[in-house]
Amino acid sequence: MKLITKFILIYLVITSVVLAIGGVISYFIIKDEVNKELKFEFMERIDRVTYLLERGRKFSHRRGSIEGDQNLVIEELNQAAEPRTQVSDTSIWHDRLEQYEQNVKVEAWREIDGNYYYISTYGAMIESNDITEAVAKTLLWILLMQVMGAVGIGYFVSGSLFKPFRQTLERIRNFKLQDRQVLEANETNVKEFRDLNLFVEQMTQKAISDYKNLKEFSENASHELQTPLAIAKGKLELLTETDLSEEQYRYVESLERSIKKLSRLSESLSLLTKIENHEFENNQTVNISWLITESIREFEEFINFNKLTVETDITDDVTIEMHPALAEILWTNIFQNAIKHNVDGGRIRITCTQETLVVSNTGKELSVPPETLFERFRKGDQSSSSIGLGLSIIERIIRQNQLTLKYTTEGTWHNLEIGLTRVIHE
């Protein structure tokens, strides 16, 4: 949901609550003002009746009316009563509405020429339903104008108001460390946007500087490390050609294995750094079906040497948008992992469709949760000669290309499932 849409919704909710409360308050204020006017009118009516009685006006049947007023009651009392006036509310049946309506009632007790009279009148200037309807209509019109105003302001005025923010957001979205171009702050007269642009400029400067230093360090470290490793490897090969005892030869072999492992570790860490720095950006259409088939042929000798059986179910021309080098690295690591961590006489099953790639292999049962093996240097078998970076490289490539990855086990079977459909996270 967009920020302006959320702002409008919050504004309208608050406005609706305020109008609802205001409507209730308005109803009682209007009703109170109407009742006050009625009280004044009824008091004048009582005073008029009192004036007529003082002038000798007589009313037959001890009940009378003035000018056809049916809501006026005049009774002559048989006993003395203290002169007073009383105002109260009463409910009167309304024939047209077929319900009781609240009315204002004024009662008075008067002494005139030694006689005592009871005078009362009641009525409603406006019916309560009419007040409710009038308040509701007024508030609905106000709410409608508020909605129109909010939408108008939100989608027209804010179009220019939030333009600097959207421009900055677009520049951040298109920012790439590899380009090494600082996002210079754009001029704007809004303080918050100006502060944001300055912050973005400073952060991109620092990010580019850190990226440059890290890239140089990783490249230099990898280069400088490979040189002595190559020299050490050459010296050991020369040493094996000399007369060595069996024990000395074992030591040399152990050193060669350590040097090879160190060399693979350096190459893998360098590769991980390049992946995380997004140095593989030029995606192309890669035929995964062809890549898997060719790879199996290339590894055929290695597969036979380990006495493995490979079963395939590969749909033709399965493609994916990915950097070709990354696609090859991804599949090579997956397939090598299935071969390296298998058992003698084990099996590998490869299933590839337009939606998923599943590679299953036999192997030792895991003593750790499968998902933890995606961490760097984590291994299911600590005695293994693996450096523990293969699955980490696979996971980084999958994440960078917005695919899905799941590692599960079923007894001695290890299943690596990759979703080939991109998952876009907004």
Side-chain angles (χ1 to χ4, degrees), residues 153-170:
I153 293 173
Y155 289 100
F156 291 98
V157 177
S158 69
S160 57
L161 180 64
F162 280 92
K163 185 177 180 180
F165 174 76
R166 288 195 297 271
Q167 289 176 340
T168 301
L169 192 63
E170 185 64 24

Side-chain angles (χ1 to χ4, degrees), residues 58-71:
K58 299 295 182 181
F59 298 93
S60 60
H61 308 295
R62 301 170 64 187
R63 236 175 232 277
S65 63
I66 298 177
E67 298 176 357
D69 190 347
Q70 300 299 322
N71 296 341

